[in-house]
């Protein structure tokens, strides 16, 4: 039973192009609205669909040892247009998938334009979509045009739509040295839903603290692009190096204050300063450095944050940043079908949902397109299993993130795919009687996650196919 005869996709970027392709491949007619070239963004240069606004890299293509490589592979299995065009326009780049940006965008544009079920309309949707559009995918990206972002903000509420990222680095839990760090909440306060030992604490003595503050001040910073210069700093959310520049003691009275904490390894020694990390995902595999949003360059961040006792070998799931970005507070606003809870005809895809990166944005477009196609036929397609890269991503934005119940600063921040988003996996830690350690063990785990993901994705794709066949 067909209930909806076509879907409107707003935004012909990475996510919108992929969503339109998945819909058309599922035999659903699509109207793809792209505002360029009539209205430009600050970053796009051309009128092509799926323009890559900055680097030309889709990052690692190693599907066994790298989470974004695994996402590539899953998307290929799902017939992704973005991956097919990327593969067709591949450039030499070692283990990474780099693409010729012109050829890539041309192929995406031409294949969509040639599809009989796709109509490309060059118009800006300057407000909420008309009420007679019964199925809409909004994929307008980090630079959503102001009239639409204002309308979404009004529909969803004041703090539901962010206009910039102030991101603190996120660390893989298993790379933190627990012989140095310890669990404790300040003054052992359990707070709502806590235990009194909810934070990981890394202690510093005076010399370590002063060296650290100097390194923050001297570290190389990224500069705002011209159009980002108005990006607001909130006093409660200042970059860590800006606080360091305000005075040697500022951080000790801010995010690094040592009060209410006792070093569990050396209770007799009072730490001079403490860096706290807070659990960031429901699995407990990722930990956020509290108050450490930063504009330091990535290389400087890794080097400086590894000066923190306990984080000497830290592996970062993502580094910090401050830049313009429009994204929803998705864990609050979207259901597991990526639909807006207050207006379910509107489904979201791409970076606006709180993923980060070309491939991740396209991946959410792929899922949204398939879900909308199933809905057009009167069915509901369940999200991909959390054990797959596609499933881990959608789970992060619609449920896996820890909701702090509206207390404190908003904590949901955009995320790249990484192995910390996957549930634990069983693997043989001693193949052929030889116990694996360190990198070998970590690699064996990644291989097991990847093998499980590809196996379980096959089931989801088959279910998706069955829904297409069922009229
Ligand atoms: C300056 C900048 C640099 C970045 N660099 C990288 C990088 O190097 N590597 C990386 O992986 N990621 C990068 N990103 C992050 C991100 O992954 C990309 O922005 C990605 O393109 C997001 O995909 P998307 O489909 O969600 O949005 P986009 O690809 O931006 O597509 C959104 C589309 O919607 C259109 N649109 C907006 N509003 C409307 C409207 N009201 N009506 C109709 N059309 C509209 C836009 O013109 C655009 O074509 C960068 C982001 C920015 C802003």
């Amino acid at each position: 039973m067909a209930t909806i005869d076509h879907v409107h996709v707003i935004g012909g970027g990475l996510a919108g192009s992929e969503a339109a392709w998945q819909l058309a491949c599922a035999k659903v007619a699509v109207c793809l609205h792209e505002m360029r070239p009539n209205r430009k963004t600050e970053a796009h240069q051309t009128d092509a669909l799926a323009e890559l606004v900055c680097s030309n890299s889709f990052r690692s293509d190693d599907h066994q040892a790298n989470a974004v490589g695994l996402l590539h592979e899953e998307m290929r299995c799902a017939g992704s247009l973005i991956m097919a065009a990327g593969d067709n326009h591949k450039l030499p780049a070692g283990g990474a998938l780099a693409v010729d940006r012109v050829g890539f965008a041309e192929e995406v544009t031409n294949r969509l334009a040639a599809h009989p079920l796709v109509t490309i309309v060059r118009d800006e949707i300057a407000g909420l979509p008309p009420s007679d559009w019964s199925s809409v995918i909004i994929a307008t990206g980090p630079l959503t045009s102001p009239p639409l972002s204002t309308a979404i903000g009004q529909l969803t509420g004041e703090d539901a739509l962010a206009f910039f990222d102030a991101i603190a680095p996120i660390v893989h839990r298993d790379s933190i040295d627990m012989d140095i760090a310890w669990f404790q909440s300040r003054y052992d306060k359990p707070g709502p839903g806590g235990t009194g030992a909810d934070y990981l604490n890394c202690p510093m003595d005076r010399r370590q603290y002063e060296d650290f503050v100097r390194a923050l001040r001297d570290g190389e910073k990224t500069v705002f692009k011209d159009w980002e210069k108005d990006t607001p700093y909130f006093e409660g959310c200042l970059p860590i190096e800006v606080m360091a520049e305000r005075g040697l003691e500022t951080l000790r009275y801010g995010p690094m204050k040592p009060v209410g904490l006792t070093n569990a390894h050396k209770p007799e020694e009072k730490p001079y300063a403490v860096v706290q990390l807070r659990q960031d995902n429901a699995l407990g595999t990722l930990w956020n450095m509290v108050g450490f949003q930063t504009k330091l360059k990535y290389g400087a961040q890794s080097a400086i944050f590894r000066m923190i006792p306990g984080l000497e070998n830290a592996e970062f799931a993502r580094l910090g940043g401050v830049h313009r970005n429009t994204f929803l507070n998705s864990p609050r606003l979207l259901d597991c079908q990526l639909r807006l809870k207050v207006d379910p005809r509107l489904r979201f895809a791409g970076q606006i949902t709180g993923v980060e990166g070309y491939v991740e944005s396209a991946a959410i477009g792929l899922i949204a397109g398939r879900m909308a196609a199933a809905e057009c036929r009167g069915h509901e397609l369940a999200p991909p299993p959390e054990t797959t890269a596609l499933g881990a991503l959608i789970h992060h934005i619609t449920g896996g993130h820890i909701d702090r119940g509206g207390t404190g600063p908003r904590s949901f921040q955009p995320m790249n795919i990484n192995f910390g988003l996957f549930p634990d996996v069983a693997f043989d830690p001693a193949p052929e009687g030889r116990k694996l350690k360190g990198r070998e063990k970590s690699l064996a785990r990644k291989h097991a996650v990847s093998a499980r993901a590809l196996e379980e994705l096959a089931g989801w794709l088959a279910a998706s196919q069955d829904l297409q066949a069922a009229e």
Side-chain angles (χ1 to χ4, degrees), residues 327-381:
F327 67 100
L328 296 167
N329 192 355
S330 296
R332 286 264 172 94
L333 297 176
L334 302 184
D335 67 13
C336 67
Q337 289 283 309
L338 295 164
R339 290 174 305 209
L340 199 60
K341 289 177 191 162
V342 296
D343 189 354
R345 81 197 166 98
L346 305 180
R347 184 175 257 112
F348 284 80
Q351 182 129 339
I352 198 170
T353 62
V355 292
E356 173 103 9
Y358 301 143
V359 183
E360 288 85 343
S361 298
I364 298 296
L366 185 151
I367 301 172
R370 284 182 173 240
M371 285 178 163
E375 196 178 64
C376 285
R377 298 196 154 82
H379 302 295
E380 185 165 298
L381 173 65

Short mmCIF file of all heavy atoms in Angstrom, two decimals, residues 327-381:
data_model
loop_
_atom_site.label_atom_id
_atom_site.label_comp_id
_atom_site.label_asym_id
_atom_site.label_seq_id
_atom_site.Cartn_x
_atom_site.Cartn_y
_atom_site.Cartn_z
N PHE A 327 23.52 22.60 14.34
CA PHE A 327 23.11 21.21 14.58
C PHE A 327 22.09 21.13 15.70
O PHE A 327 22.05 21.95 16.61
CB PHE A 327 24.31 20.31 14.86
CG PHE A 327 25.03 20.61 16.14
CD1 PHE A 327 24.79 19.85 17.28
CD2 PHE A 327 25.94 21.65 16.23
CE1 PHE A 327 25.45 20.13 18.47
CE2 PHE A 327 26.59 21.93 17.41
CZ PHE A 327 26.35 21.18 18.54
N LEU A 328 21.26 20.10 15.58
CA LEU A 328 20.16 19.91 16.52
C LEU A 328 20.62 19.22 17.79
O LEU A 328 21.59 18.45 17.75
CB LEU A 328 19.11 18.98 15.89
CG LEU A 328 18.38 19.45 14.65
CD1 LEU A 328 17.64 18.27 14.01
CD2 LEU A 328 17.38 20.55 15.02
N ASN A 329 19.87 19.42 18.85
CA ASN A 329 20.08 18.60 20.04
C ASN A 329 19.31 17.29 19.78
O ASN A 329 18.25 17.03 20.35
CB ASN A 329 19.54 19.34 21.27
CG ASN A 329 19.97 18.68 22.55
OD1 ASN A 329 20.59 17.61 22.53
ND2 ASN A 329 19.65 19.30 23.66
N SER A 330 19.87 16.48 18.90
CA SER A 330 19.14 15.32 18.37
C SER A 330 18.66 14.32 19.41
O SER A 330 17.55 13.80 19.28
CB SER A 330 20.01 14.59 17.34
OG SER A 330 20.23 15.42 16.25
N PRO A 331 19.47 14.00 20.45
CA PRO A 331 18.96 13.01 21.41
C PRO A 331 17.63 13.43 22.02
O PRO A 331 16.82 12.59 22.39
CB PRO A 331 20.06 12.96 22.48
CG PRO A 331 21.28 13.47 21.81
CD PRO A 331 20.82 14.46 20.79
N ARG A 332 17.41 14.74 22.11
CA ARG A 332 16.15 15.23 22.66
C ARG A 332 15.05 15.31 21.61
O ARG A 332 13.89 15.06 21.87
CB ARG A 332 16.34 16.65 23.19
CG ARG A 332 17.08 16.76 24.46
CD ARG A 332 16.07 16.84 25.61
NE ARG A 332 16.79 16.76 26.87
CZ ARG A 332 17.16 17.85 27.54
NH1 ARG A 332 16.84 19.04 27.08
NH2 ARG A 332 17.80 17.71 28.66
N LEU A 333 15.45 15.71 20.39
CA LEU A 333 14.44 16.15 19.42
C LEU A 333 14.00 15.08 18.43
O LEU A 333 12.90 15.15 17.89
CB LEU A 333 14.99 17.33 18.60
CG LEU A 333 15.31 18.60 19.38
CD1 LEU A 333 15.92 19.64 18.46
CD2 LEU A 333 14.06 19.16 20.02
N LEU A 334 14.90 14.13 18.14
CA LEU A 334 14.58 13.17 17.08
C LEU A 334 14.19 11.82 17.64
O LEU A 334 14.73 11.39 18.66
CB LEU A 334 15.79 12.99 16.15
CG LEU A 334 16.34 14.24 15.47
CD1 LEU A 334 17.47 13.87 14.51
CD2 LEU A 334 15.26 15.01 14.73
N ASP A 335 13.27 11.13 16.94
CA ASP A 335 12.98 9.75 17.33
C ASP A 335 13.97 8.82 16.62
O ASP A 335 14.84 9.30 15.87
CB ASP A 335 11.51 9.40 17.06
CG ASP A 335 11.16 9.37 15.57
OD1 ASP A 335 12.09 9.38 14.73
OD2 ASP A 335 9.98 9.33 15.23
N CYS A 336 13.84 7.53 16.83
CA CYS A 336 14.86 6.62 16.28
C CYS A 336 14.72 6.49 14.76
O CYS A 336 15.53 5.83 14.11
CB CYS A 336 14.82 5.27 16.97
SG CYS A 336 13.32 4.39 16.61
N GLN A 337 13.69 7.12 14.18
CA GLN A 337 13.53 7.15 12.73
C GLN A 337 14.06 8.47 12.16
O GLN A 337 13.79 8.81 11.02
CB GLN A 337 12.05 7.02 12.38
CG GLN A 337 11.48 5.63 12.64
CD GLN A 337 11.91 4.65 11.57
OE1 GLN A 337 11.76 4.90 10.38
NE2 GLN A 337 12.46 3.52 11.98
N LEU A 338 14.78 9.23 12.99
CA LEU A 338 15.36 10.52 12.60
C LEU A 338 14.29 11.59 12.33
O LEU A 338 14.53 12.58 11.65
CB LEU A 338 16.28 10.38 11.37
CG LEU A 338 17.53 9.53 11.58
CD1 LEU A 338 18.15 9.14 10.24
CD2 LEU A 338 18.57 10.29 12.41
N ARG A 339 13.06 11.33 12.84
CA ARG A 339 11.97 12.30 12.64
C ARG A 339 11.89 13.22 13.84
O ARG A 339 12.15 12.82 14.98
CB ARG A 339 10.62 11.56 12.51
CG ARG A 339 10.47 10.80 11.24
CD ARG A 339 9.19 9.99 11.24
NE ARG A 339 9.12 9.13 12.41
CZ ARG A 339 8.47 7.97 12.44
NH1 ARG A 339 7.84 7.52 11.36
NH2 ARG A 339 8.44 7.25 13.54
N LEU A 340 11.48 14.46 13.53
CA LEU A 340 11.30 15.43 14.60
C LEU A 340 10.09 15.01 15.43
O LEU A 340 8.99 14.83 14.88
CB LEU A 340 11.07 16.80 13.96
CG LEU A 340 11.29 18.03 14.81
CD1 LEU A 340 12.74 18.09 15.31
CD2 LEU A 340 10.99 19.27 13.98
N LYS A 341 10.29 14.86 16.75
CA LYS A 341 9.18 14.35 17.56
C LYS A 341 7.97 15.27 17.47
O LYS A 341 6.84 14.82 17.44
CB LYS A 341 9.62 14.21 19.02
CG LYS A 341 10.59 13.05 19.23
CD LYS A 341 11.07 13.00 20.67
CE LYS A 341 12.23 12.02 20.81
NZ LYS A 341 13.00 12.22 22.04
N VAL A 342 8.21 16.62 17.40
CA VAL A 342 7.06 17.54 17.41
C VAL A 342 6.42 17.69 16.02
O VAL A 342 5.35 18.27 15.91
CB VAL A 342 7.44 18.95 17.93
CG1 VAL A 342 7.85 18.89 19.38
CG2 VAL A 342 8.51 19.60 17.08
N ASP A 343 7.05 17.19 14.99
CA ASP A 343 6.47 17.28 13.64
C ASP A 343 7.07 16.15 12.78
O ASP A 343 7.98 16.36 11.99
CB ASP A 343 6.79 18.66 13.02
CG ASP A 343 6.04 18.90 11.72
OD1 ASP A 343 5.36 17.96 11.24
OD2 ASP A 343 6.12 20.02 11.18
N PRO A 344 6.54 14.94 12.95
CA PRO A 344 7.20 13.75 12.38
C PRO A 344 7.25 13.70 10.85
O PRO A 344 7.93 12.83 10.30
CB PRO A 344 6.37 12.58 12.92
CG PRO A 344 5.48 13.14 13.96
CD PRO A 344 5.36 14.60 13.75
N ARG A 345 6.58 14.62 10.16
CA ARG A 345 6.75 14.61 8.70
C ARG A 345 8.15 15.11 8.33
O ARG A 345 8.61 14.93 7.22
CB ARG A 345 5.64 15.42 8.01
CG ARG A 345 5.87 16.89 8.02
CD ARG A 345 4.67 17.72 7.74
NE ARG A 345 5.00 19.09 8.12
CZ ARG A 345 5.40 20.04 7.30
NH1 ARG A 345 5.46 19.81 6.01
NH2 ARG A 345 5.70 21.24 7.73
N LEU A 346 8.82 15.76 9.27
CA LEU A 346 10.16 16.28 9.02
C LEU A 346 11.21 15.31 9.57
O LEU A 346 11.27 15.04 10.77
CB LEU A 346 10.36 17.65 9.68
CG LEU A 346 9.34 18.73 9.33
CD1 LEU A 346 9.68 20.03 10.07
CD2 LEU A 346 9.29 18.97 7.82
N ARG A 347 12.01 14.80 8.66
CA ARG A 347 13.11 13.89 9.04
C ARG A 347 14.40 14.66 8.78
O ARG A 347 14.46 15.47 7.86
CB ARG A 347 13.00 12.65 8.15
CG ARG A 347 13.95 11.56 8.44
CD ARG A 347 13.66 10.34 7.57
NE ARG A 347 12.98 9.29 8.29
CZ ARG A 347 11.73 8.90 8.09
NH1 ARG A 347 10.99 9.44 7.15
NH2 ARG A 347 11.21 7.92 8.80
N PHE A 348 15.43 14.43 9.57
CA PHE A 348 16.69 15.15 9.39
C PHE A 348 17.81 14.20 8.98
O PHE A 348 17.77 13.02 9.29
CB PHE A 348 17.07 15.90 10.67
CG PHE A 348 16.26 17.15 10.88
CD1 PHE A 348 14.98 17.08 11.40
CD2 PHE A 348 16.77 18.38 10.49
CE1 PHE A 348 14.21 18.24 11.57
CE2 PHE A 348 16.01 19.54 10.66
CZ PHE A 348 14.74 19.47 11.19
N ALA A 349 18.79 14.73 8.26
CA ALA A 349 19.93 13.92 7.84
C ALA A 349 21.17 14.79 7.73
O ALA A 349 21.08 16.00 7.53
CB ALA A 349 19.64 13.26 6.49
N GLY A 350 22.34 14.14 7.86
CA GLY A 350 23.60 14.86 7.65
C GLY A 350 24.11 15.53 8.90
O GLY A 350 23.69 15.23 10.02
N GLN A 351 25.00 16.50 8.66
CA GLN A 351 25.70 17.12 9.78
C GLN A 351 24.76 17.82 10.75
O GLN A 351 25.04 17.94 11.93
CB GLN A 351 26.74 18.10 9.23
CG GLN A 351 27.55 18.76 10.31
CD GLN A 351 29.04 18.69 10.11
OE1 GLN A 351 29.53 17.84 9.37
NE2 GLN A 351 29.77 19.56 10.75
N ILE A 352 23.60 18.27 10.26
CA ILE A 352 22.65 18.97 11.13
C ILE A 352 22.12 18.06 12.24
O ILE A 352 21.62 18.52 13.26
CB ILE A 352 21.50 19.59 10.29
CG1 ILE A 352 20.77 20.67 11.08
CG2 ILE A 352 20.54 18.53 9.79
CD1 ILE A 352 19.80 21.50 10.25
N THR A 353 22.26 16.73 12.08
CA THR A 353 21.79 15.82 13.13
C THR A 353 22.83 15.63 14.23
O THR A 353 22.55 15.00 15.25
CB THR A 353 21.47 14.41 12.56
OG1 THR A 353 22.67 13.84 12.02
CG2 THR A 353 20.41 14.46 11.50
N GLY A 354 24.05 16.13 14.01
CA GLY A 354 25.06 15.98 15.06
C GLY A 354 26.09 14.90 14.75
O GLY A 354 26.72 14.38 15.66
N VAL A 355 26.22 14.54 13.47
CA VAL A 355 27.41 13.77 13.09
C VAL A 355 28.38 14.77 12.49
O VAL A 355 28.02 15.92 12.22
CB VAL A 355 27.11 12.63 12.09
CG1 VAL A 355 26.27 11.56 12.75
CG2 VAL A 355 26.45 13.16 10.82
N GLU A 356 29.60 14.32 12.27
CA GLU A 356 30.61 15.24 11.75
C GLU A 356 31.36 14.53 10.63
O GLU A 356 31.73 13.36 10.77
CB GLU A 356 31.57 15.59 12.89
CG GLU A 356 32.76 16.40 12.46
CD GLU A 356 32.64 17.87 12.81
OE1 GLU A 356 31.71 18.25 13.53
OE2 GLU A 356 33.49 18.64 12.34
N GLY A 357 31.57 15.22 9.52
CA GLY A 357 32.39 14.65 8.45
C GLY A 357 31.56 14.32 7.22
O GLY A 357 30.36 14.08 7.28
N TYR A 358 32.25 14.33 6.06
CA TYR A 358 31.59 14.04 4.79
C TYR A 358 30.92 12.67 4.81
O TYR A 358 29.76 12.52 4.43
CB TYR A 358 32.62 14.01 3.64
CG TYR A 358 33.41 15.28 3.41
CD1 TYR A 358 34.75 15.19 3.03
CD2 TYR A 358 32.83 16.54 3.51
CE1 TYR A 358 35.51 16.33 2.77
CE2 TYR A 358 33.59 17.68 3.26
CZ TYR A 358 34.92 17.58 2.90
OH TYR A 358 35.66 18.70 2.64
N VAL A 359 31.70 11.66 5.23
CA VAL A 359 31.21 10.28 5.11
C VAL A 359 30.08 10.05 6.11
O VAL A 359 29.04 9.45 5.77
CB VAL A 359 32.37 9.29 5.36
CG1 VAL A 359 31.90 7.86 5.16
CG2 VAL A 359 33.54 9.59 4.43
N GLU A 360 30.26 10.52 7.34
CA GLU A 360 29.23 10.35 8.35
C GLU A 360 27.94 11.05 7.92
O GLU A 360 26.84 10.53 8.13
CB GLU A 360 29.71 10.92 9.69
CG GLU A 360 30.78 10.11 10.39
CD GLU A 360 32.20 10.43 9.93
OE1 GLU A 360 32.38 11.05 8.86
OE2 GLU A 360 33.15 10.05 10.64
N SER A 361 28.07 12.25 7.33
CA SER A 361 26.88 12.99 6.90
C SER A 361 26.15 12.20 5.82
O SER A 361 24.93 12.02 5.87
CB SER A 361 27.28 14.37 6.37
OG SER A 361 27.88 15.11 7.40
N ALA A 362 26.92 11.68 4.85
CA ALA A 362 26.30 10.89 3.79
C ALA A 362 25.67 9.62 4.36
O ALA A 362 24.59 9.20 3.91
CB ALA A 362 27.36 10.53 2.74
N ALA A 363 26.31 9.04 5.37
CA ALA A 363 25.78 7.80 5.97
C ALA A 363 24.41 8.04 6.58
O ALA A 363 23.49 7.23 6.43
CB ALA A 363 26.75 7.29 7.04
N ILE A 364 24.24 9.18 7.26
CA ILE A 364 22.92 9.46 7.86
C ILE A 364 21.91 9.76 6.75
O ILE A 364 20.73 9.41 6.85
CB ILE A 364 23.01 10.60 8.90
CG1 ILE A 364 23.95 10.19 10.05
CG2 ILE A 364 21.64 10.95 9.46
CD1 ILE A 364 23.50 8.99 10.89
N GLY A 365 22.38 10.33 5.64
CA GLY A 365 21.51 10.52 4.48
C GLY A 365 21.04 9.17 3.95
O GLY A 365 19.87 8.99 3.58
N LEU A 366 21.95 8.22 3.92
CA LEU A 366 21.60 6.88 3.41
C LEU A 366 20.51 6.25 4.28
O LEU A 366 19.50 5.74 3.77
CB LEU A 366 22.88 6.03 3.42
CG LEU A 366 22.82 4.63 2.83
CD1 LEU A 366 24.21 4.25 2.28
CD2 LEU A 366 22.37 3.57 3.81
N ILE A 367 20.68 6.34 5.59
CA ILE A 367 19.69 5.72 6.48
C ILE A 367 18.35 6.46 6.36
O ILE A 367 17.29 5.85 6.26
CB ILE A 367 20.17 5.75 7.96
CG1 ILE A 367 21.50 5.02 8.10
CG2 ILE A 367 19.13 5.15 8.87
CD1 ILE A 367 22.14 5.18 9.49
N ALA A 368 18.42 7.81 6.36
CA ALA A 368 17.18 8.60 6.30
C ALA A 368 16.42 8.30 5.00
O ALA A 368 15.19 8.17 5.00
CB ALA A 368 17.51 10.08 6.39
N GLY A 369 17.15 8.18 3.90
CA GLY A 369 16.51 7.88 2.61
C GLY A 369 15.81 6.53 2.65
O GLY A 369 14.65 6.40 2.22
N ARG A 370 16.48 5.54 3.21
CA ARG A 370 15.87 4.20 3.28
C ARG A 370 14.66 4.20 4.22
O ARG A 370 13.65 3.55 3.95
CB ARG A 370 16.89 3.17 3.74
CG ARG A 370 17.85 2.81 2.62
CD ARG A 370 18.84 1.77 3.03
NE ARG A 370 19.60 1.36 1.86
CZ ARG A 370 19.65 0.12 1.38
NH1 ARG A 370 18.98 -0.85 1.97
NH2 ARG A 370 20.34 -0.17 0.29
N MET A 371 14.78 4.93 5.34
CA MET A 371 13.64 4.97 6.28
C MET A 371 12.44 5.67 5.65
O MET A 371 11.30 5.23 5.79
CB MET A 371 14.06 5.69 7.56
CG MET A 371 14.95 4.84 8.44
SD MET A 371 15.48 5.74 9.91
CE MET A 371 16.02 4.36 10.94
N ALA A 372 12.72 6.77 4.94
CA ALA A 372 11.61 7.51 4.30
C ALA A 372 10.98 6.65 3.20
O ALA A 372 9.75 6.66 3.03
CB ALA A 372 12.13 8.82 3.72
N ALA A 373 11.79 5.87 2.49
CA ALA A 373 11.25 5.02 1.42
C ALA A 373 10.32 3.97 2.01
O ALA A 373 9.22 3.72 1.49
CB ALA A 373 12.40 4.36 0.66
N ALA A 374 10.75 3.36 3.13
CA ALA A 374 9.90 2.35 3.77
C ALA A 374 8.59 2.98 4.21
O ALA A 374 7.50 2.43 4.01
CB ALA A 374 10.63 1.73 4.96
N GLU A 375 8.69 4.19 4.79
CA GLU A 375 7.50 4.89 5.29
C GLU A 375 6.51 5.18 4.17
O GLU A 375 5.30 5.11 4.34
CB GLU A 375 7.94 6.19 5.96
CG GLU A 375 6.91 6.83 6.84
CD GLU A 375 7.50 8.07 7.49
OE1 GLU A 375 7.84 9.03 6.76
OE2 GLU A 375 7.62 8.09 8.71
N CYS A 376 7.04 5.50 3.00
CA CYS A 376 6.17 5.78 1.85
C CYS A 376 5.30 4.58 1.51
O CYS A 376 4.23 4.71 0.94
CB CYS A 376 7.00 6.12 0.62
SG CYS A 376 7.69 7.75 0.70
N ARG A 377 5.81 3.40 1.82
CA ARG A 377 5.05 2.18 1.54
C ARG A 377 4.23 1.73 2.74
O ARG A 377 3.70 0.63 2.78
CB ARG A 377 6.01 1.07 1.13
CG ARG A 377 6.79 1.37 -0.10
CD ARG A 377 7.43 0.12 -0.69
NE ARG A 377 7.62 0.30 -2.11
CZ ARG A 377 8.65 0.96 -2.63
NH1 ARG A 377 9.57 1.46 -1.84
NH2 ARG A 377 8.75 1.11 -3.93
N GLY A 378 4.20 2.57 3.78
CA GLY A 378 3.40 2.24 4.95
C GLY A 378 4.11 1.32 5.93
O GLY A 378 3.49 0.70 6.79
N HIS A 379 5.45 1.21 5.83
CA HIS A 379 6.21 0.34 6.75
C HIS A 379 7.16 1.18 7.58
O HIS A 379 7.42 2.34 7.27
CB HIS A 379 7.04 -0.67 5.96
CG HIS A 379 6.23 -1.54 5.08
ND1 HIS A 379 5.31 -2.43 5.56
CD2 HIS A 379 6.20 -1.64 3.72
CE1 HIS A 379 4.73 -3.06 4.53
NE2 HIS A 379 5.25 -2.59 3.40
N GLU A 380 7.72 0.54 8.60
CA GLU A 380 8.77 1.21 9.36
C GLU A 380 10.04 0.36 9.29
O GLU A 380 10.01 -0.82 9.62
CB GLU A 380 8.34 1.39 10.82
CG GLU A 380 9.36 2.19 11.59
CD GLU A 380 8.84 2.72 12.92
OE1 GLU A 380 7.88 3.52 12.92
OE2 GLU A 380 9.41 2.33 13.95
N LEU A 381 11.12 0.98 8.83
CA LEU A 381 12.40 0.27 8.77
C LEU A 381 13.15 0.53 10.07
O LEU A 381 13.46 1.68 10.38
CB LEU A 381 13.22 0.77 7.57
CG LEU A 381 14.65 0.25 7.46
CD1 LEU A 381 14.67 -1.26 7.21
CD2 LEU A 381 15.40 0.97 6.33
#
